[in-house]
Amino acid sequence: MSAAVLPAPTGRRRRRGPGGASVTAGWLFILPNLLGFLAFTLVPLVSGIGISFTDWNVVSGLSGIRFVGLDNFAGLVKDAEFWQAVGRTALYAGVGVPLTMLGGLIIALCLNGPVFGRSALRVIFFIPHIVSSIAIGFVWLLLLHPSSGLVNLALKEIGAAQPPTWLVSQDWSLASLILITSWAGMGFHAVIYLSALQALPTDLYEAAELDGAGPWHRFTTITWPSLMPTTTFLAIMSMIGHSQGFGLIAFLTQGGPGDSSTTLSYLMYQNGFQYYRFGYAAAMGIMSFLGVLLLSAFFWRFQRGRGLYS
């Protein structure tokens, strides 16, 4: 019995993805986002790494690039101004991130119940997240004016003889920025937390109530463990946002008075665009990136096994 002869293919077979979709069509759909990632993320990142090993002031053009190896990083280790900025950034994020997350969680817990106008309140709390930092800074610049701001006028009314001068004080400028940044970010955290709360199964709470568990016990044994992945995500995003915070600092304090509010991101701006030390500024950016990467990995590892469904 002779073997059956299969007909020869008449043309090249087109590759198909899952469900029979065209692979070419898939690439076309992701192409705009891929080009944006390459142009605005990958290329600047690789360029920044390369520039960090050079001494370049931009004004001299590409011909003025001089390779210096690890000299910029060695200079950072000995730079007291750099380490002071790192300390301020750690304080800025170390206080601001927990404060933002706590405020967002409290707002979300309040809106999770039967609250009148919950949808409208959700929008109101979310507005500061989508408003430009310049608009937010202008409003708070008026509120925290040392002599005519509404905050100090209210403090004088309740008996404060010498209220803080806020943004123009070396003692209060960084604290003021922490409060403003936290206020602006609470709405975003509240919306994310609220979405996670509304996705929790109600049967767990009903079973806990039947067992006699109170509100605090239900929160610590059901709500908080269920929110652990969301909390980790928000902690990492908020930490990245605080480490890159620039707009409010540049508009409200310009790193001052003195250098009391000069964080690492603003020091990078000063070295790069005021002193034209682009290689040195790029080295600061690489150090900041590595620090945030290590902290993100720590947060991610810390939350593993601690969630309700882990």
Side-chain angles (χ1 to χ4, degrees):
M1 184 176 179
S2 59
V5 179
L6 296 176
T10 57
R12 187 176 179 181
R13 205 170 195 179
R14 180 173 294 179
R15 294 178 59 193
R16 296 283 178 178
S22 170
V23 175
T24 303
W27 278 105
L28 289 175
F29 274 111
I30 68 172
L31 184 60
N33 188 56
L34 182 61
L35 292 176
F37 170 77
L38 292 174
F40 300 108
T41 302
L42 186 60
V43 171
L45 177 61
V46 174
S47 301
I49 295 175
I51 293 173
S52 67
F53 298 105
T54 66
D55 181 15
W56 186 36
N57 61 8
V58 178
V59 178
S60 59
L62 296 178
S63 60
I65 298 178
R66 186 169 61 89
F67 181 77
V68 295
L70 297 176
D71 287 357
N72 288 325
F73 296 94
L76 289 177
V77 175
K78 305 174 185 177
D79 191 347
E81 187 179 19
F82 168 75
W83 290 111
Q84 289 171 0
V86 170
R88 293 188 203 98
T89 305
L91 180 61
Y92 181 61
V95 177
V97 171
L99 185 61
T100 305
M101 297 181 65
L102 179 61
L105 179 59
I106 292 174
I107 295 172
L109 291 172
C110 294
L111 294 180
N112 193 41
V115 179
F116 176 75
R118 182 172 61 182
S119 299
L121 290 173
R122 188 187 308 180
V123 173
I124 292 172
F125 283 118
F126 191 72
I127 284 176
H129 179 70
I130 59 177
V131 174
S132 70
S133 59
I134 300 301
I136 293 174
F138 185 76
V139 171
W140 281 98
L141 198 62
L142 297 177
L143 291 174
L144 297 180
H145 192 277
S147 58
S148 59
L150 293 179
V151 173
N152 277 3
L153 290 177
L155 290 176
K156 290 178 181 179
E157 287 293 328
I158 61 176
Q162 293 183 340
T165 52
W166 304 112
L167 295 169
V168 297
S169 167
Q170 289 192 354
D171 297 327
W172 286 93
S173 59
L174 188 60
S176 303
L177 288 170
I178 291 173
L179 292 174
I180 295 170
T181 306
S182 300
W183 170 85
M186 285 180 186
F188 172 76
H189 287 67
V191 170
I192 302 300
Y193 267 133
L194 184 59
S195 300
L197 288 171
Q198 292 177 344
L200 297 183
T202 58
D203 54 347
L204 294 178
Y205 291 97
E206 293 171 357
E209 289 182 13
L210 291 176
D211 290 339
W216 177 250
H217 189 68
R218 293 198 299 271
F219 175 81
T220 55
T221 57
I222 300 175
T223 305
W224 181 246
S226 301
L227 294 177
M228 186 61 68
T230 304
T231 301
T232 303
F233 164 76
L234 289 176
I236 293 174
M237 294 301 294
S238 184
M239 183 178 59
I240 294 173
H242 278 76
S243 67
Q244 297 177 344
F246 174 78
L248 285 173
I249 298 174
F251 181 76
L252 292 174
T253 65
Q254 294 82 48
D259 57 359
S260 59
S261 61
T262 301
T263 59
L264 190 54
S265 61
Y266 196 79
L267 186 63
M268 280 188 276
Y269 160 76
Q270 286 181 320
N271 277 271
F273 294 97
Q274 292 183 358
Y275 311 143
Y276 297 103
R277 302 172 66 190
F278 275 82
Y280 201 64
M284 289 185 188
I286 299 303
M287 296 292 286
S288 176
F289 169 76
L290 292 176
V292 171
L293 182 64
L294 290 175
L295 286 174
S296 299
F298 169 77
F299 280 131
W300 189 259
R301 182 65 183 85
F302 176 78
Q303 66 91 28
R304 290 180 61 185
R306 299 176 183 271
L308 184 63
Y309 303 106
S310 299

